[in-house]
Amino acid sequence: MPRDPSETELMLKGYGLTTAELFYRMPDYRHVLNSFVWQHYDLAPDHPKLFEFIEYWQAEIEGPLHSVRFTHRKLIAPGEWRHVTGEFTLH
């Protein structure tokens, strides 16, 4: 069984943390808005995981979506990661 990649492996492959806030209408009270926060490692600019989750919501959850706002942050930029092969200690 293949293992899931670690967070560091995902970040090194270009994934960043995507946070979305979904506003939806309550099934029994359509005039009431509620919110749900979702986070996952995803690839910008296409955001396949986010859109997969939105499609799941629309198919399986009774509360219709009103709006979605999201942000994406790459946690490791190209110049921030260094591979260290050794360490020298003085004194």
Side-chain angles (χ1 to χ4, degrees), residues 23-79:
F23 293 92
Y24 63 97
R25 297 190 183 278
M26 298 294 290
D28 296 335
Y29 303 97
R30 297 295 173 132
H31 61 282
V32 177
L33 285 178
N34 205 356
S35 67
F36 179 82
V37 176
W38 174 90
Q39 277 191 326
H40 204 284
Y41 286 97
D42 209 352
L43 286 170
D46 295 331
H47 301 286
K49 295 286 186 183
L50 174 59
F51 287 108
E52 179 183 324
F53 180 74
I54 290 172
E55 289 172 6
Y56 168 79
W57 183 290
Q58 291 174 331
E60 302 293 331
I61 306 295
E62 290 184 28
L65 288 175
H66 174 271
S67 59
V68 177
R69 67 178 180 180
F70 67 95
T71 184
H72 179 84
R73 172 82 170 127
K74 286 187 112 178
L75 301 176
I76 295 180

